[in-house]
Amino acid sequence: MTEEIFSFTIYMIHELSRAWGMLPSKVYEVLKQTRCIDDYFINHYDVLHTLGTEYLEEDIREYVKKRGVKI
């Protein structure tokens, strides 16, 4: 994981924490459980980091929902 992807991941964890009303540690566990960090953030960073935070929050919510986690 590059420094840019790491910084993006930390940023998104904190933004999701705020949007979902969860502790950052819980958001991390959801993202880890659904492989969102590896399969989504890392693999698609080139596109994701250019998108708006609100759009990403909704997209990630849908991503984890499809993997059995309700936010």
Side-chain angles (χ1 to χ4, degrees):
M1 179 183 303
T2 67
E3 185 176 336
E4 290 84 11
I5 295 172
F6 180 75
S7 294
F8 174 75
T9 301
I10 297 301
Y11 170 78
M12 286 308 304
I13 287 171
H14 285 280
E15 287 299 312
L16 295 171
S17 172
R18 180 193 54 75
W20 296 350
M22 302 169 89
L23 292 173
S25 59
K26 178 63 178 164
V27 172
Y28 173 76
E29 288 301 319
V30 168
L31 299 180
K32 183 177 172 186
Q33 173 188 348
T34 59
R35 297 198 42 85
C36 186
I37 294 171
D38 293 330
D39 295 344
Y40 188 70
F41 289 174
I42 293 174
N43 288 340
H44 304 288
Y45 171 77
D46 290 344
V47 173
L48 295 177
H49 83 280
T50 67
L51 301 174
T53 303
E54 289 179 24
Y55 173 82
L56 286 171
E57 187 273 323
E58 287 300 319
D59 201 44
I60 295 165
R61 182 185 301 262
E62 188 65 29
Y63 181 94
V64 299
K65 181 180 175 185
K66 287 181 180 179
R67 284 150 184 83
V69 178
K70 184 175 178 171
I71 301 299

